[in-house]
Amino acid sequence: MPVKEFKLPDVGEGVAEGELVTWLVKPGDRVEEDQPVAEVETDKALVEVPSRYDGVVEELFVEEGEMVPVGDVIISFRVDGDGAEPTADDTGSDEVDDTDGAGDDADGLDAESEAEPETSSGRTFAPPSVRRLARELGVDIAAVEGSGPGGRISDGDVRAHAESSGSAGSGPSGEDDSSGPKPVDIGSGDRKSAVSKRGGSADDDTRGDDARSTGVDPAGRETTLATPATRKVARELGVDIDDVPTDATREGDPFVDEAAVRAYAEAGTAAVPATTDSEPAPEPEPTPASAGGSSGGSGFADASTDREPETVPYRGVRRTIGKQMERSKFTAPHVTHHDTAEVDALVEAREQLKPKAEARDVKLTYMPFVMKAIVAGLKEHPYLNSELREDDEEIVLKKEYNLGIAVATDAGLMVPVVKGVDEKGIFELAEEVNDLATRARERKIKPAEMKGGTFTITNFGAIGGEYATPIINYPETAILGLGAIEERPVVRDRSAVDDGFLDDEEGTTVVPVPTLPLSLSIDHRVVDGAIAAEFANTVMEHLENPLLLLNH
């Protein structure tokens, strides 16, 4: 079979390079067109890179953690058929030929049991994530009937097929399923070397030695979820992330964090493998603190070994965030207006609506109410929903209400955008916000879903705090920060408060009331302080009187 080299494609608008975070295949694995072969982190998002060929992985040219310019060769394949490189108009067959290279299979499986059957209609239309789901459920993607445009297969189609055929539990478990063909095994269950360099070998597997030296039973999973930073730590410590024990999960898949990796590595350092029954373990070298004989009982004798500074790469999403913040702060003169809304009526309204939301399987937070209140404010004060185009010397007043929601993730702050907020109901907004926030934290958000915002909300109150000075999401002209909703002392008319007094005493009293601190930052070139205060007043009026939100 001919060998084809595959270059890193342009995985995002304006992206010139990316960090190859994880290889999803190894030399010898059979892949099909559109199957993800690597995860690449750019300055915009973490994306999967799909194969353009049906064939067998020949060689990997890039180490995990390396920065790769767009256009550089990252992998090569032994391609099925005539090896013609597919084009945008190519509609050829997706059939897999397993007659070549069967003896080179990394897992030693029978070629006939590995072959994916030929599709009856030629080409199978399914995105990489759907193909991955099919492999996990043991479903033959070629046998699934797509419900999308042009027969495109969705997650729901795969799950429905798995439920109807009873194949969901047969493929991954390894049980024999005589009712249908076996899915193609891409070799992820016996991951060895991530990269086979020129002149090197893909079979140099030292994981067994590492596992024996840890004194902790390796997990030996096939799939493990982890952030790029965690995977980097694992590489530096020589730990196979699939062996790190964990009880944490993300959407049903095992999830490992940096602390678990370090704990597993430390367990390996502490355990000293015995070479013979009579050979004593070597004495540890004395540290400066222990050489003097006494550490004073402080328990910090070895603290000096942990005081070396740690360097973390400044790139990817973190670098993008930094550049965006720098551009915003040094371009737009920021002014922050602070105020506090009394939201006891809002708290009561949410409590009344929660049962209805739960009946629809929707988690109802305060965010949709705040979004509706902001839309009311933007309609009355359009300069906060604008963009200053300095080169054209004009201010563009936006007529769409697309609100960005800042989400803290392991990779940094991401801002997915909820579009058309003025046209959506409270429950619909709640569902969309929850979905976008979840996918942002799991690095599954698409770059297009973080574009087109006209105003941004940041909820620092979710992790504590009252007020802040949020930085505008340039080129927008305003951002609203939300503090924590807590009971705080508020002055109220005694006549409006049931304070236990029996007489009709006039005057005021101080009572605990749920309040929401607001921090509104504006671009002072576009928005005056008085306009900012009026906008805040409008937002607070709608939060304090939730029935007004029905009009927005």
Side-chain angles (χ1 to χ4, degrees), residues 142-153:
V144 179
E145 182 176 352
S147 60
R152 187 174 182 84
I153 300 172

Side-chain angles (χ1 to χ4, degrees), residues 486-504:
E486 295 179 353
E487 286 193 341
R488 298 178 176 89
V490 172
V491 177
R492 289 272 176 93
D493 288 338
R494 191 178 297 278
S495 60
V497 176
D498 182 12
D499 56 6
F501 286 87
L502 298 179
D503 56 356
D504 294 330

Side-chain angles (χ1 to χ4, degrees), residues 1-4 30 53-56 77-85 93-100:
M1 292 188 292
V3 175
K4 287 287 185 179
R30 172 164 290 282
Y53 304 101
D54 291 338
V56 177
F77 302 92
R78 280 183 282 122
V79 181
D80 295 342
D82 59 6
E85 185 167 330
S93 173
D94 272 22
E95 69 177 80
V96 178
D97 180 7
D98 271 339
T99 57
D100 285 312

Side-chain angles (χ1 to χ4, degrees), residues 127-160:
S129 59
V130 173
R131 293 180 184 273
R132 173 181 291 181
L133 176 63
R135 291 193 297 272
E136 292 173 352
L137 298 179
V139 170
D140 170 21
I141 194 72
V144 179
E145 182 176 352
S147 60
R152 187 174 182 84
I153 300 172
S154 67
D155 284 9
D157 296 331
V158 172
R159 295 186 187 278

Side-chain angles (χ1 to χ4, degrees), residues 199-219:
S201 172
D203 297 325
D204 298 332
D205 187 1
T206 60
R207 188 176 68 182
D209 295 337
D210 292 342
R212 285 191 296 272
S213 68
T214 62
V216 178
D217 291 335

Side-chain angles (χ1 to χ4, degrees), residues 11 14 41 47 49 72 87 194 259 273 291 295 303 337 426 445 468 516:
V11 292
E41 182 178 39
V47 297
V49 177
D72 275 19
T87 65
S295 63
H337 172 87
I426 292 292
I445 198 78
L516 172 59

